[in-house]
Amino acid sequence: QLSAKGLASLPQLKNLQELNLYKAAKVNDEVIPLLAQLPNLKWVDLTGTQATQAGIAKLKQAKPACKIVWEKQ
């Protein structure tokens, strides 16, 4: 199962534009700072994760041009 700890190397993927974490149930707000470090991220799906509304708000603030797909579970 994918978790924030398992995504620790994400910031190295500088050219990553899209990331689908749909239903990655162990992913939580710890992944937000990692996503914020991706300079070319344009789309991310966090639906079905443990990301909170506060975490999503922080990501939107850090990456205003990024399309964030998320539904509160």
Side-chain angles (χ1 to χ4, degrees):
Q1 189 74 3
L2 196 57
S3 67
K5 185 176 180 181
L7 295 171
S9 61
L10 263 181
Q12 297 174 14
L13 304 173
K14 301 293 183 195
N15 294 321
L16 187 68
Q17 294 184 14
E18 296 183 1
L19 183 60
N20 187 347
L21 295 172
Y22 180 76
K23 290 198 176 183
K26 291 188 177 182
V27 170
N28 56 28
D29 285 350
E30 291 178 22
V31 79
I32 301 301
L34 302 175
L35 297 175
Q37 293 178 52
L38 295 168
N40 294 306
L41 189 65
K42 295 179 179 10
W43 182 90
V44 63
D45 188 347
L46 291 164
T47 302
T49 66
Q50 293 182 41
T52 65
Q53 191 166 0
I56 298 299
K58 287 180 184 177
L59 184 56
K60 285 181 180 179
Q61 184 176 13
K63 309 285 299 169
C66 182
K67 167 75 172 157
I68 302 166
V69 179
W70 176 79
E71 293 178 23
K72 188 175 180 181
Q73 299 294 306

